[in-house]
C-alpha cells in the first residue's frame, strides 16, 4: 500500500496514532515524508475525502475531550499545586495540531475546481477553539493563525471571519512585542481586512484603541513596514483620520526631535495615496490644522516649554512638505491651503504670529498656483518679496525683523537666479547697511551676520557680496558679545567658501586689537581665523618663527592670546616644534653675540642678563611662598603641588618647613611652661592667619612623593628638629580634650593629625639617621604617653566623644608602630616595648575594640622575629615568640568572651578582623611545621573553634536541631571567621589540620560534643576537594576514638547526645567514603 493511501486511511479516530505518526514524520526534516509533496499527488476526490475525514476526526476529538475540560494556563499556574494533564487532552492537542498542519498545506495546494466545504468547516472549528487553547500551546495557536492568514491571502470563501481573527492577533502582537518588524509585515498584508469592517460596527470600535496605540510606538513610526501601515490607516474612515491626527498632536511633545521627520513622511504618504473625501479630510483636518498651530503657538515664552516643543515638531513636519515641492501636486496643495491663512497672519496684530508666518512664508517660498503660465509665475515670485519681505524687514518688532532676516537670506540663497538683480541688491543693502546697524536690538544685528552664511553658500552671490561686506567692518567692535561672535563666524564662513578676502572685510589691525581684549568666545574664533596666517603648519619651522616675531612686534597682547589658544587648532607636536625652534633661534643669537669683537661690552651685557635672571629668582620664590600662604585649609592638592615641587627643585624647601613649623607653633591653643620659642626666629603676631591643617597637608605631600621627600631629608637635622618638636607638642591637646576641658572640634582633629605626622616623621628621620636611637626613643615616649595618658580613658570613658577620641589615638599609635616594624627601623628593644604596650591595651575593658590594629601589629612583630631569627640570639627570639603567641591567644579569648556578652557587636568585630587575621596567619611561611610559633598559634585557633562549636551543640534542646553544616556560614561566628580565613591558604589549612591531629593524639578531647565539633571542621574542609589524605587520617582517628561513646543512652533514640553521635558517624562516613573510592 502506498504512503498516500496509508496516510489517507490514518485520518480516522480509530487510527489516530497512525495519523499522529505521519504528522511527526512530516515535522521531522530528516524524514522524506512531506505533506507538501503528498497532497498535490492526491486526486481531487481523494483530497475531498481527506478533508471530510479530518473534519470527522477533529469533531470526534473535540466531542471526546471538549474545550470546557481543558486545563488552561490559569490552572497550570495555580500556586504550588502540581496539575496533571490527562492523556486525552494531550492527544486532543496533537490531533488539533495535525489537522492545522494538513489544512495549511491544503490551502497552499488548493486548485480551482476543488470543493473545500469540509476544509472550511475545519478552519471555522479551529477559529472557535483557538482562544481556549492552554498557554503551553502557544506555538499551536500561532500555527492556527498562520492558517487563517494563508486563507485570507488565497481569497477563499469564509475569509472574512478567519482573516479578522488573524488581523486581531497581528495587531495585538505589534502593540505588545518589543521588536514587531515581522508582525508589522504580516499586518500590512492583512490590511484589507480592516476595509471590510464598518468603522461604526462593534468590530470597528474594538480595534480603534489598538490601532491608535500604533501611533505611540517609535518602532512603528521609524520602520518602513510601520510607515506603510500607518499611512494606510488614513484610508479607513474620515472620523478615524481626525482621531489619528489628535493622537499624533498629543504625542508630539513626547516624541524625540528626529522622529518628527518620520511622522511627516507618514502624513505625506497618506496624502499622496488619498483621494476623494479622504484627501479633503487629510488636507483640512491634518495639514491645514498643522499650519494653524505653526502660526499660533508660542515659540519664545519660557512658560510654554512644552508648547514650544510641539511647535518645533509641527514646523519640522511642514518643512518636510515644503521640501517635497518638486513632487506633482504639492505646490498646488500648499498654495490652496496657505492662501486663506498665511496672508492674514503676515498682517496680524500679534508680533509672534507675524514672526511665525514669516518663517513659514519664506520657507515655502515661492507659494504659487502651478496652473498659471510661466510668465505669471515669474511675476508672482517677484511680487511676493517686494510687497511682503520689505514690509517684514521694517516691522516694528525685533522678533519679526529677525525672522524676516532669516527668511530673506534663505529666499535669496534658493532663488538667486529667479529674483531680479535690482531687488537682490536692494534687499542686501537693507540687510547690511540698515539692519546690521539696528541700534534697537542686538538680536537683529546678530541675525544678519548669522544668516549671511546662508547666502554665502550660493556661489553666485560672491561677486556682489565682496563689494557689500566691507561696510560691516565696524561690527567687530559691537557692544554685544553675541554680535561679535556672529560677525567673526561670518568671517570664518567667508574664508571657508572663498567669497572674498576676510582682511578686506575687516583689517588685520582691528582683528588683533579685538583678539587682545575680547572674551574667549570671540578670541578663540579670531585665532581660528588667523591661525594659518601666523602658524602655517604646511610651511617650514623657520617661517613659523618669522610669523611669531611679526605677530609679537605687531601686537604683543594679541600674540599672547593667539598662542594661548593655538593648541585648539593644531597637533601638540607642532606646538613642541615651535617651542624648540624658538629656543634654537635664541641659542644662535646668544652664540653670535659671544663672537662679537667687542668682547668686553658683550661680557657686560652677558653679566647683565645673568643679573636679571638672578634678580628674578627671589621674586619667583616669593611669589610661590606667597601663594602657599594665601591658600585655605582643604585646598585640592593640584592647587599647591606645582609650587611645592618648584621650591624643592630650587633648593628652597627650608622655607616650606619653616612655614609649617610657624603655623603649628603659633596655632597651638596652649603651651607648656618654659615652652618659649628659643629658635632665634622673629615672629610678628597678627600679620597672617595660622593654618596648621594646611601645613599638615603640605607635610603630607612632602612625605608622600619620593622627589620632595628626598629634598626634605637633605636638610640639616637642626632645621628639621623644630618641626618634629612642634608636632610633638600637639598631643597635649588630646589629653586636655580627654580630661574634659573644652576644646574646639577642629583643634582636636588637627591634634590627632599632628600626632600621626609626628610618628611618620620620626620613622623617616630614624631611617635617615640610624646611628642613634633619638627618634626611636621619641616613638617609645609616644607609646608610653598613650599608655599612661590615653589608655585609662578607653577603659572608663564617660562619653561617646571621649571613647571615640581615645580609640582613634590608640589605633593611630598602633598603626605608626606597625609601620616602624614594616620598614625595619625598630630594634628588639622597641619590639619588646610594643608587645608590653599591646598587652596593656588588651587588658583594658574595651581594648577589644582595637583588635584589627593589634593583629596588624602582631603580624609585623612575627614577620620581623621569624625572618631575622638566625641573626638574633636564640633565647631572646624564643622568648619573644612565646610572648607573641600568648598575646595572640589572649586576642582569641577576648573575641570569644565578647561573643558571649554582646553577640552582635562581636560579629562586627569578627568581620573587621578577618583581613588582619589572614595576614597574621600568612606569616607561617617563614617557619617550619612544628615550630614553637606554629604550635602556639594553631593550638589557640583549634581550641577556640572546637570549644565554640562544642558549646553551640551543648545548647541544643531538640533532636531536630542536630544538623550537618553545609558551608562555613552554618558555624558559630568565631568558628566561621577562623575557618573562613584558614581556608584561604592551603598552607595555613595544612597547619590547622596538623594541629587538630596533634590534639586528637594528646587525648585532650573527651566529650561527644567536642568530637562532633572536630567532625564539623573536617566536613567544612572536605568541601575544598583538597587534603584528602590528611582528612582520611584524622577521620579514622576520630572514628576510633568515638567508639567508646556508642553506648551513650543507646536505649533512648530520642536522646540529644545519641543524635549528635549518630550525626557525627554519618559525617565521618561521608568524609571516608570518597577517600576510599579510588581504592575500591
Amino acid at each position: 500500500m502506498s504512503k498516500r493511501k496509508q496516510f489517507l486511511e490514518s485520518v480516522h479516530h480509530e487510527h489516530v496514532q497512525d495519523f499522529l505518526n505521519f504528522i511527526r514524520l512530516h515535522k521531522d526534516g530528516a524524514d522524506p515524508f512531506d505533506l507538501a509533496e503528498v497532497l498535490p499527488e492526491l486526486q481531487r476526490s481523494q483530497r475531498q475525502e481527506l478533508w471530510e475525514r479530518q473534519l470527522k476526526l477533529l469533531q470526534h476529538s473535540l466531542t471526546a475531550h471538549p474545550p470546557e475540560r481543558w486545563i488552561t494556563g490559569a490552572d497550570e499556574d495555580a500556586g504550588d499545586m502540581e496539575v496533571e494533564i490527562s492523556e486525552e487532552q494531550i492527544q486532543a492537542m496533537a490531533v488539533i495540531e495535525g489537522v492545522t498542519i494538513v489544512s495549511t498545506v491544503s490551502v497552499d495546494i488548493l486548485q480551482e475546481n476543488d470543493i473545500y466545504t469540509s476544509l472550511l468547516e475545519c478552519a471555522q472549528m479551529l477559529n472557535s477553539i483557538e482562544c481556549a487553547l492552554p498557554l503551553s500551546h502557544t506555538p499551536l495557536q500561532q500555527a492556527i493563525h498562520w492558517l487563517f492568514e494563508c486563507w485570507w491571502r488565497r481569497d477563499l470563501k469564509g475569509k472574512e471571519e478567519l482573516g479578522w481573527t488573524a488581523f486581531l492577533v497581528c495587531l495585538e502582537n505589534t502593540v505588545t512585542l518589543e521588536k514587531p518588524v515581522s508582525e508589522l509585515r504580516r499586518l500590512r498584508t492583512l490590511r484589507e481586512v480592516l476595509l471590510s469592517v464598518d468603522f461604526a460596527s462593534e468590530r470597528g470600535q474594538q480595534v480603534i484603541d489598538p490601532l491608535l496605540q500604533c501611533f505611540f510606538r517609535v518602532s512603528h513610526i521609524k520602520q518602513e513596514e510601520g510607515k506603510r501601515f500607518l499611512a494606510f490607516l488614513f484610508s479607513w474612515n474620515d472620523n478615524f483620520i481626525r482621531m489619528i491626527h489628535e493622537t499624533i498632536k498629543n504625542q508630539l511633545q513626547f516624541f524625540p526631535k528626529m522622529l518628527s521627520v518620520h511622522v511627516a513622511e507618514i502624513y505625506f504618504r497618506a496624502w499622496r495615496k488619498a483621494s476623494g473625501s479622504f484627501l479633503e479630510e487629510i488636507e483640512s483636518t491634518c495639514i491645514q490644522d498643522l499650519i494653524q498651530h505653526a502660526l499660533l503657538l508660542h515659540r519664545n515664552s519660557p512658560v510654554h516649554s512644552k508648547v514650544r516643543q510641539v511647535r518645533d515638531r509641527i514646523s519640522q513636519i511642514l518643512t518636510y512638505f515644503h521640501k517635497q515641492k518638486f513632487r506633482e501636486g504639492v505646490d498646488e496643495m500648499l498654495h490652496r491651503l496657505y492662501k486663506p491663512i498665511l496672508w492674514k497672519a503676515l498682517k496680524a496684530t500679534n508680533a509672534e504670529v507675524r514672526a511665525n508666518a514669516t518663517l513659514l512664508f519664506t520657507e515655502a517660498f515661492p507659494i504659487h498656483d502651478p496652473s498659471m503660465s510661466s510668465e505669471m509665475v515669474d511675476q508672482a515670485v517677484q511680487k511676493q518679496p517686494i510687497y511682503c519681505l520689505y514690509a517684514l524687514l521694517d516691522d516694528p518688532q525685533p522678533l519679526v525683523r529677525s525672522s524676516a532676516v532669516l527668511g530673506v537670506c534663505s529666499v535669496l540663497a534658493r532663488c538667486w537666479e529667479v529674483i531680479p538683480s535690482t531687488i537682490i541688491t536692494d534687499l542686501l543693502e537693507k540687510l547690511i547697511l540698515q539692519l546690521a546697524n539696528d541700534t534697537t536690538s542686538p538680536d537683529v544685528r546678530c541675525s544678519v551676520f548669522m544668516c549671511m552664511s546662508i547666502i554665502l553658500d550660493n556661489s553666485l552671490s560672491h561677486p556682489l557680496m565682496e563689494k557689500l561686506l566691507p561696510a560691516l567692518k565696524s561690527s567687530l567692535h559691537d557692544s554685544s558679545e553675541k554680535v561679535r561672535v556672529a560677525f567673526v563666524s561670518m568671517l570664518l564662513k567667508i574664508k571657508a567658501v572663498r567669497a572674498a578676502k576676510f582682511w578686506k572685510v575687516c583689517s588685520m589691525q582691528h582683528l588683533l586689537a579685538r583678539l587682545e581684549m575680547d572674551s574667549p568666545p570671540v578670541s578663540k574664533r579670531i585665532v581660528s581665523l588667523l591661525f594659518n596666517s601666523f602658524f602655517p603648519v604646511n610651511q617650514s619651522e623657520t617661517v613659523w618663527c618669522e610669523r611669531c616675531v611679526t605677530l609679537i612686534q605687531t601686537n604683543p597682547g594679541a600674540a599672547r592670546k593667539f598662542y594661548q589658544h593655538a593648541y585648539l587648532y593644531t597637533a601638540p607636536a607642532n606646538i613642541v616644534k615651535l617651542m624648540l625652534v624658538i629656543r634654537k633661534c635664541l641659542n644662535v643669537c646668544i652664540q653670535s653675540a659671544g663672537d662679537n669683537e667687542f668682547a668686553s661690552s658683550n661680557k657686560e651685557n652677558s653679566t647683565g642678563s645673568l643679573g636679571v635672571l638672578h634678580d628674578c629668582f627671589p621674586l619667583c620664590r616669593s611669589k610661590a611662598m606667597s601663594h602657599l600662604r594665601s591658600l585655605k585649609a582643604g585646598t585640592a592638592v593640584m592647587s599647591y603641588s606645582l609650587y611645592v615641587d618648584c621650591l624643592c627643585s630650587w633648593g628652597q624647601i627650608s622655607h616650606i618647613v619653616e612655614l609649617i613649623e610657624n603655623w603649628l607653633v603659633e596655632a597651638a591653643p596652649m603651651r607648656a611652661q618654659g615652652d618659649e620659642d628659643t629658635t632665634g626666629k622673629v615672629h610678628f603676631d597678627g600679620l597672617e592667619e595660622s593654618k596648621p591643617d594646611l601645613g599638615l597637608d603640605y607635610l603630607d605631600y612632602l612625605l608622600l612623593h619620593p622627589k620632595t621627600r628626598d629634598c626634605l631629608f637633605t636638610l640639616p637635622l637642626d632645621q628639621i628638629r623644630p618641626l618634629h618638636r612642634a608636632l610633638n607638642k600637639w598631643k597635649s591637646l588630646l589629653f586636655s580634650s580627654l580630661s574634659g576641658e573644652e576644646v574646639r572640634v577642629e583643634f582636636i582633629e588637627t591634634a590627632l593629625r599632628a600626632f600621626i605626622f609626628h610618628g611618620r616623621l620620626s620613622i623617616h628621620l630614624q631611617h635617615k639617621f640610624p646611628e642613634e636611637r633619638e627618634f626611636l626613643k621619641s616613638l617609645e615616649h609616644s607609646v608610653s604617653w598613650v599608655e599612661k595618658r590615653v589608655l585609662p580613658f578607653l577603659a572608663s570613658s564617660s562619653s561617646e566623644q571621649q571613647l571615640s577620641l581615645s580609640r582613634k589615638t590608640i589605633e593611630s599609635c598602633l598603626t605608626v608602630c606597625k609601620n616602624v616594624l614594616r620598614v625595619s627601623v625598630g630594634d628588639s628593644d622597641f619590639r619588646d616595648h610594643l608587645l608590653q604596650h599591646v598587652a596593656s591595651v588588651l587588658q583594658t575593658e574595651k581594648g577589644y575594640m582595637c583588635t584589627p590594629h593589634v593583629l596588624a601589629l602582631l603580624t609585623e612583630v612575627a614577620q620581623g622575629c621569624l625572618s631575622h631569627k638566625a641573626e638574633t640570639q636564640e633565647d631572646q627570639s624564643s622568648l619573644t615568640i612565646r610572648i607573641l603567641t600568648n598575646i595572640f591567644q589572649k586576642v582569641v579569648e577576648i573575641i570569644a568572651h565578647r561573643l558571649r556578652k554582646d553577640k552582635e557587636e562581636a560579629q562586627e568585630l569578627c568581620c573587621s578582623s578577618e583581613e588582619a587575621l589572614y595576614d597574621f596567619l600568612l606569616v607561617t611561611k617563614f617557619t617550619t611545621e612544628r615550630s614553637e610559633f606554629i604550635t602556639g598559634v594553631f593550638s589557640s585557633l583549634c581550641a577556640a573553634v572546637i570549644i565554640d562549636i562544642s558549646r553551640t551543640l551543648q545548647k541544643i534542646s531538640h533532636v531536630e536541631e542536630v544538623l550537618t553544616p553545609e558551608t562555613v556560614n552554618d558555624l558559630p561566628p568565631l568558628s566561621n571567621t577562623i575557618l573562613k580565613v584558614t581556608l584561604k591558604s592551603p598552607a595555613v589549612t595544612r597547619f590547622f589540620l596538623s594541629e587538630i591531629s596533634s590534639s586528637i593524639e594528646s587525648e585532650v578531647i573527651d566529650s561527644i560534643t567536642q568530637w562532633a565539633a572536630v567532625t564539623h571542621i573536617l566536613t567544612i574542609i572536605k568541601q575544598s576537594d583538597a587534603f584528602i589524605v590528611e582528612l582520611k587520617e584524622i577521620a579514622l582517628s576520630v572514628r576510633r576514638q568515638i567508639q567508646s561513646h556508642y553506648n551513650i543512652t543507646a536505649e533512648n533514640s530520642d536522646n540529644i547526645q545519641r543524635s549528635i553521635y549518630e550525626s557525627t558517624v554519618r559525617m565521618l562516613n561521608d568524609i571516608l567514603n570518597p577517600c576510599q573510592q579510588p581504592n575500591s
Side-chain angles (χ1 to χ4, degrees):
M1 184 183 298
S2 66
K3 283 278 188 181
R4 294 192 299 275
K5 188 66 175 175
Q6 291 176 6
F7 171 69
L8 195 59
E9 291 184 357
S10 70
V11 186
H12 193 274
H13 67 271
E14 294 180 356
H15 309 293
V16 66
Q17 290 302 328
D18 295 336
F19 172 69
L20 296 179
N21 285 334
F22 274 111
I23 296 300
R24 277 192 288 272
L25 293 175
H26 169 74
K27 292 166 65 178
D28 185 2
D31 195 90
F33 181 78
D34 188 355
L35 288 175
E37 297 177 359
V38 173
L39 266 61
E41 295 175 357
L42 295 177
Q43 297 179 4
R44 186 170 59 182
S45 59
Q46 289 177 318
R47 288 198 297 273
Q48 189 171 347
E49 179 186 357
L50 169 65
W51 298 332
E52 291 172 354
R53 291 170 72 92
Q54 80 165 4
L55 175 61
K56 293 177 182 178
L57 173 61
L58 181 60
Q59 290 171 338
H60 181 273
S61 178
L62 294 177
T63 303
H65 197 73
E68 293 79 10
R69 289 165 51 191
W70 291 351
I71 296 176
T72 60
D75 300 322
E76 294 173 6
D77 297 337
D80 297 330
M81 298 176 59
E82 294 186 2
V83 181
E84 185 176 353
I85 302 176
S86 64
E87 290 294 332
E88 291 84 356
Q89 179 170 336
I90 294 173
Q91 181 171 304
M93 294 299 116
V95 169
I96 294 172
E97 182 184 20
V99 170
T100 302
I101 292 173
V102 173
S103 301
T104 304
V105 176
S106 298
V107 169
D108 289 339
I109 57 96
L110 206 61
Q111 298 179 9
E112 186 176 354
N113 297 324
D114 285 338
I115 300 174
Y116 53 89
T117 306
S118 300
L119 184 61
L120 174 59
E121 291 184 30
C122 276
Q124 291 171 339
M125 194 173 295
L126 292 173
N127 189 25
S128 64
I129 64 168
E130 61 88 19
C131 59
L133 290 173
L135 290 176
S136 56
H137 288 76
T138 301
L140 173 57
Q141 202 171 30
Q142 293 172 346
I144 294 174
H145 297 154
W146 176 249
L147 166 64
F148 298 162
E149 190 173 340
C150 294
W151 198 284
W152 172 267
R153 289 178 178 177
R154 289 297 305 271
D155 197 22
L156 304 177
K157 271 193 310 183
K159 69 172 184 176
E160 290 78 9
E161 287 294 327
L162 305 181
W164 177 251
T165 301
F167 179 81
L168 282 180
V169 171
C170 283
L171 180 59
E172 181 181 356
N173 288 341
T174 59
V175 175
T176 56
L177 293 178
E178 289 186 7
K179 297 181 178 180
V181 180
S182 58
E183 292 296 325
L184 277 172
R185 194 175 294 114
R186 293 176 60 189
L187 186 63
R188 200 175 69 83
T189 60
L190 294 168
R191 64 186 183 279
E192 299 296 331
V193 174
L194 185 63
L195 299 181
S196 65
V197 177
D198 184 16
F199 175 78
S201 66
E202 183 178 351
R203 284 187 174 179
Q205 296 302 308
Q206 178 185 353
V207 295
I208 286 177
D209 283 343
L211 289 174
L212 292 177
Q213 286 181 32
C214 293
F215 289 92
F216 287 71
R217 300 292 302 274
V218 174
S219 56
H220 290 55
I221 296 173
K222 294 178 97 173
Q223 297 288 342
E224 178 62 25
E225 297 296 335
K227 290 178 186 176
R228 292 181 181 180
F229 178 70
L230 296 180
F232 161 78
L233 293 180
F234 282 82
S235 62
W236 183 26
N237 185 272
D238 293 349
N239 294 326
F240 192 57
I241 292 175
R242 300 189 191 98
M243 298 176 74
I244 292 173
H245 183 59
E246 290 301 320
T247 300
I248 292 176
K249 282 199 302 182
N250 291 336
Q251 288 302 306
L252 279 178
Q253 58 181 312
F254 306 110
F255 282 160
K257 188 175 182 180
M258 297 303 297
L259 202 64
S260 303
V261 178
H262 299 285
V263 174
E265 187 177 353
I266 293 170
Y267 273 118
F268 186 74
R269 289 186 180 193
W271 176 78
R272 285 288 300 269
K273 298 289 184 181
S275 60
S277 62
F278 293 130
L279 179 61
E280 293 177 7
E281 193 68 36
I282 291 173
E283 289 183 350
S284 61
T285 301
C286 301
I287 302 175
Q288 202 160 44
D289 182 61
L290 292 174
I291 294 173
Q292 290 275 15
H293 280 79
L295 291 171
L296 301 178
L297 288 179
H298 295 274
R299 64 171 180 171
N300 288 326
S301 174
V303 183
H304 305 90
S305 59
K306 293 294 183 184
V307 175
R308 289 203 314 274
Q309 289 183 13
V310 173
R311 187 200 169 281
D312 291 342
R313 305 296 185 269
I314 290 175
S315 297
Q316 287 179 302
I317 294 172
L318 293 175
T319 299
Y320 183 89
F321 275 85
H322 298 155
K323 290 180 179 179
Q324 308 301 318
K325 286 167 67 80
F326 62 91
R327 303 251 184 136
E328 183 181 359
V330 177
D331 257 335
E332 187 275 332
M333 180 266 293
L334 291 175
H335 176 263
R336 181 162 34 85
L337 298 183
Y338 273 127
K339 188 175 181 180
I341 302 173
L342 185 60
W343 310 118
K344 293 180 181 179
L346 288 170
K347 300 176 182 178
T349 55
N350 186 290
E352 200 158 4
V353 173
R354 295 200 306 276
N356 293 339
T358 300
L359 292 179
L360 278 183
F361 165 63
T362 53
E363 188 179 84
F365 183 89
I367 301 175
H368 67 284
D369 186 356
S371 61
M372 298 166 56
S373 63
S374 57
E375 292 80 6
M376 295 179 67
V377 170
D378 290 341
Q379 291 178 10
V381 169
Q382 293 174 19
K383 286 181 180 179
Q384 284 177 350
I386 294 174
Y387 295 113
C388 295
L389 297 181
Y390 275 110
L392 294 170
L393 291 173
D394 289 329
D395 195 277
Q397 288 295 327
L399 176 63
V400 181
R401 295 201 301 276
S402 297
S403 301
V405 169
L406 173 60
V408 168
C409 290
S410 62
V411 167
L412 291 178
R414 285 184 282 114
C415 306
W416 190 275
E417 302 93 329
V418 180
I419 301 174
S421 59
T422 54
I423 294 178
I424 294 176
T425 304
D426 288 344
L427 286 172
L428 286 177
E429 286 180 349
K430 190 170 187 64
L431 292 174
I432 294 172
L433 301 179
Q434 179 181 336
L435 294 175
N437 300 302
D438 190 334
T439 57
T440 61
S441 172
D443 289 335
V444 176
R445 302 197 301 274
C446 186
S447 298
V448 173
F449 302 122
M450 292 177 65
C451 298
M452 283 294 156
S453 299
I454 301 174
I455 300 176
L456 290 169
D457 283 328
N458 189 330
S459 59
L460 298 176
S461 66
H462 294 177
L464 180 59
M465 295 291 281
E466 188 175 6
K467 297 177 182 178
L468 296 176
L469 287 174
L472 298 172
K473 60 183 178 181
S474 60
S475 297
L476 178 64
H477 305 289
D478 195 288
S479 58
S480 172
E481 182 188 68
K482 63 180 178 181
V483 176
R484 298 196 301 273
V485 168
F487 178 80
V488 179
S489 298
M490 182 193 72
L491 294 180
L492 285 168
K493 183 69 175 182
I494 293 171
K495 178 182 176 182
V497 300
R498 299 182 179 180
K501 305 296 184 183
F502 70 86
W503 58 85
K504 292 185 178 179
V505 177
C506 186
S507 69
M508 191 69 70
Q509 182 181 1
H510 285 265
L511 287 170
L512 292 178
R514 183 51 62 181
L515 172 60
E516 179 185 9
M517 69 177 69
D518 218 325
S519 59
V522 180
S523 59
K524 287 179 182 179
R525 286 171 171 80
I526 295 177
V527 171
S528 176
L529 182 69
L530 304 179
F531 192 78
N532 288 335
S533 300
F534 293 106
F535 203 149
V537 293
N538 296 327
Q539 298 188 40
S540 66
E541 288 87 343
T542 305
V543 177
W544 299 358
C545 199
E546 291 172 355
R547 300 289 176 88
C548 176
V549 172
T550 302
L551 179 57
I552 294 172
Q553 291 174 341
T554 305
N555 190 320
R560 189 178 298 110
K561 278 283 190 75
F562 180 88
Y563 290 107
Q564 180 182 349
H565 300 305
Y567 73 94
L568 296 170
Y569 306 102
T570 189
N574 290 333
I575 304 290
V576 174
K577 288 180 182 178
L578 178 62
M579 294 168 65
L580 291 174
V581 76
I582 292 174
R583 178 188 175 189
K584 184 178 179 181
C585 291
L586 290 174
N587 289 338
V588 170
C589 292
I590 294 171
Q591 291 172 4
S592 63
D595 295 336
N596 196 293
E597 59 180 349
F598 301 102
S600 59
S601 175
N602 291 332
K603 183 176 181 180
E604 291 176 4
N605 293 336
S606 177
T607 305
S609 300
L610 292 174
V612 171
L613 292 174
H614 185 269
D615 291 340
C616 288
F617 177 74
L619 181 62
C620 294
R621 183 193 66 196
S622 175
K623 191 84 172 177
M625 289 302 302
S626 176
H627 178 79
L628 292 178
R629 288 190 183 93
S630 65
L631 295 178
K632 295 182 180 179
T635 303
V637 176
M638 62 184 299
S639 299
Y640 56 79
S641 59
L642 179 62
Y643 295 88
V644 173
D645 290 340
C646 287
L647 287 167
C648 290
S649 300
W650 299 337
Q652 304 298 310
I653 192 171
S654 59
H655 295 276
I656 302 177
V657 173
E658 184 178 358
L659 176 65
I660 298 171
E661 179 208 340
N662 289 341
W663 277 348
L664 288 171
V665 171
E666 293 168 5
M670 58 180 64
R671 298 183 188 178
Q673 289 184 356
D675 227 14
E676 291 83 2
D677 200 345
T678 58
T679 60
K681 302 189 187 92
V682 178
H683 297 289
F684 298 93
D685 294 334
L687 289 183
E688 64 176 25
E689 178 189 359
S690 297
K691 305 171 185 176
D693 281 308
L694 184 59
L696 293 177
D697 289 340
Y698 294 163
L699 181 58
D700 186 38
Y701 184 84
L702 292 174
L703 294 176
L704 274 179
H705 298 82
K707 181 180 177 181
T708 54
R709 185 169 62 242
D710 292 342
C711 289
L712 175 63
F713 294 113
T714 56
L715 292 176
L717 192 55
D718 291 340
Q719 293 188 21
I720 304 179
R721 277 199 183 101
L723 174 61
H724 187 258
R725 287 195 296 267
L727 290 168
N728 190 38
K729 290 176 184 177
W730 277 78
K731 69 173 183 282
S732 60
L733 187 64
L734 295 175
F735 178 70
S736 300
S737 177
L738 290 171
S739 302
E741 297 182 20
E742 289 190 8
V743 182
R744 288 162 58 182
V745 176
E746 58 267 26
F747 281 142
I748 297 174
E749 295 295 330
T750 304
L752 186 58
R753 288 186 69 199
F755 177 70
I756 295 170
F757 276 106
H758 173 262
R760 289 176 59 184
L761 186 58
S762 299
I763 295 172
H764 287 290
L765 289 172
Q766 183 62 39
H767 181 267
K768 178 68 176 177
F769 307 101
E771 298 82 11
E772 299 181 4
R773 296 184 78 251
E774 174 186 353
F775 300 103
L776 205 56
K777 286 180 181 179
S778 177
L779 288 170
E780 289 177 350
H781 290 159
S782 293
V783 172
S784 301
W785 178 84
V786 168
E787 189 173 335
K788 180 181 177 182
R789 297 287 192 179
V790 180
L791 196 56
F793 293 102
L794 182 68
S796 57
S797 56
S798 59
S799 66
E800 189 66 31
Q801 181 180 357
Q802 197 177 61
L803 175 63
S804 174
L805 180 57
S806 59
R807 178 182 176 182
K808 286 180 180 178
T809 306
I810 294 170
E811 288 178 348
S812 300
C813 180
L814 291 172
T815 302
V816 169
C817 295
K818 175 196 71 174
N819 292 333
V820 171
L821 299 177
R822 177 168 289 179
V823 297
S824 302
V825 172
D827 53 19
S828 58
D829 293 339
F830 183 78
R831 188 172 60 214
D832 294 340
H833 189 84
L834 289 184
L835 290 177
Q836 181 183 353
H837 174 66
V838 168
S840 300
V841 172
L842 294 177
Q843 286 173 1
T844 60
E845 182 181 353
K846 295 182 180 177
Y848 66 88
M849 301 174 75
C850 303
T851 298
H853 292 78
V854 168
L855 284 172
L857 180 58
L858 293 180
T859 301
E860 299 301 330
V861 173
Q863 186 166 338
C865 189
L866 295 174
S867 60
H868 300 94
K869 187 173 181 181
E871 304 171 8
T872 59
Q873 297 180 3
E874 185 71 26
D875 294 341
Q876 182 185 358
S877 178
S878 298
L879 178 62
T880 304
I881 288 175
R882 280 195 294 275
I883 297 172
L884 181 65
T885 53
N886 289 338
I887 292 176
F888 179 74
Q889 182 180 353
K890 182 68 175 176
V891 170
V892 176
E893 290 174 356
I894 287 174
I895 297 175
H897 177 70
R898 292 308 305 170
L899 279 166
R900 292 193 293 275
K901 291 194 67 175
D902 189 339
K903 187 175 180 180
E904 184 176 350
E905 183 186 27
Q907 284 178 337
E908 293 180 4
L909 182 62
C910 288
C911 292
S912 63
S913 303
E914 276 186 18
E915 185 177 352
L917 178 59
Y918 176 67
D919 292 338
F920 179 78
L921 295 180
L922 284 183
V923 179
T924 54
K925 66 185 178 182
F926 292 105
T927 186
T928 57
E929 183 173 348
R930 301 309 304 166
S931 68
E932 186 179 6
F933 177 74
I934 293 292
T935 304
V937 170
F938 285 97
S939 61
S940 300
L941 291 178
C942 289
V945 175
I946 292 172
I947 293 171
D948 190 35
I949 299 175
S950 176
R951 282 179 175 167
T952 304
L953 293 173
Q954 289 171 4
K955 294 179 182 178
I956 291 177
S957 57
H958 298 287
V959 175
E960 294 79 6
E961 297 177 18
V962 181
L963 301 173
T964 300
E966 296 181 358
T967 65
V968 180
N969 295 327
D970 296 331
L971 299 178
L974 180 59
S975 306
N976 177 2
T977 300
I978 293 175
L979 280 180
K980 189 182 295 182
V981 169
T982 301
L983 291 172
K984 288 182 179 180
S985 169
V988 174
T989 307
R990 191 165 281 107
F991 287 142
F992 189 81
L993 288 172
S994 176
E995 186 57 38
I996 289 179
S997 182
S998 299
S999 300
I1000 295 172
E1001 293 172 1
S1002 63
E1003 299 182 354
V1004 296
I1005 303 174
D1006 56 1
S1007 68
I1008 186 63
T1009 54
Q1010 290 179 349
W1011 290 116
V1014 173
T1015 312
H1016 282 201
I1017 296 170
L1018 300 179
T1019 301
I1020 296 300
I1021 296 177
K1022 168 180 168 287
Q1023 296 174 1
S1024 64
D1025 295 328
F1027 317 106
I1028 295 176
V1029 175
E1030 292 90 340
L1031 288 172
K1032 177 181 177 181
E1033 292 177 356
I1034 298 173
L1036 288 172
S1037 299
V1038 173
R1039 192 163 68 177
R1040 284 195 299 269
Q1041 294 289 341
I1042 66 171
Q1043 294 298 325
S1044 60
H1045 298 272
Y1046 175 74
N1047 295 323
I1048 296 176
T1049 61
E1051 65 280 358
N1052 186 5
S1053 60
D1054 293 336
N1055 187 279
I1056 294 175
Q1057 295 282 316
R1058 183 68 183 177
S1059 299
I1060 294 175
Y1061 172 80
E1062 292 175 351
S1063 173
T1064 303
V1065 172
R1066 283 195 299 272
M1067 286 188 284
L1068 288 171
N1069 291 335
D1070 290 341
I1071 294 168
L1072 291 169
N1073 286 339
C1075 296
Q1076 294 172 355
Q1077 282 176 4
N1079 301 326
S1080 60

